[in-house]
Amino acid sequence: LTLCLIMNEEKQLLEPKGGFGCSASAIPEFFALDEGIIGQVYRNGGHISVPDLAAQPHHRLDFAQKLGIQSLDVCCLEVRGEVLG
């Protein structure tokens, strides 16, 4: 599964703008910036590898678990206008 998330106009949420590997209806309409693994990577920048999603109690990626995803890599290519890679 690959997702491209873009900050919304109000700069309060990350919205999926592209994806590969599942139906668009399986992906949440938005991801909060202040919670979960995706929010953590957004706030801190960089990259995080999660070898066992079930071991992370506040991951906020229930949709991924429903798709059978057990591990993941999350990276941030740009934060607040600063290109990271």
Side-chain angles (χ1 to χ4, degrees):
L1 175 66
T2 301
L3 297 177
C4 176
L5 306 173
I6 305 291
M7 188 180 301
N8 69 351
E9 292 295 323
E10 295 81 22
K11 298 186 178 185
Q12 297 175 346
L13 303 168
L14 293 171
E15 298 176 340
K17 293 298 180 186
F20 178 79
C22 74
S23 168
S25 64
I27 303 169
E29 292 182 25
F30 63 86
F31 295 87
L33 298 176
D34 60 348
E35 59 186 34
I37 292 172
I38 291 177
Q40 178 183 348
V41 172
Y42 168 78
R43 290 188 310 275
N44 297 320
H47 171 265
I48 188 170
S49 290
V50 180
D52 184 5
L53 193 56
Q56 305 298 319
H58 304 291
H59 56 72
R60 301 288 191 248
L61 295 168
D62 296 333
F63 84 97
Q65 285 186 306
K66 289 178 184 174
L67 293 170
I69 295 171
Q70 299 174 9
S71 62
L72 54 94
D73 288 299
V74 180
C75 66
C76 191
L77 299 179
E78 182 176 340
V79 174
R80 294 180 226 48
E82 179 183 343
V83 177
L84 302 175

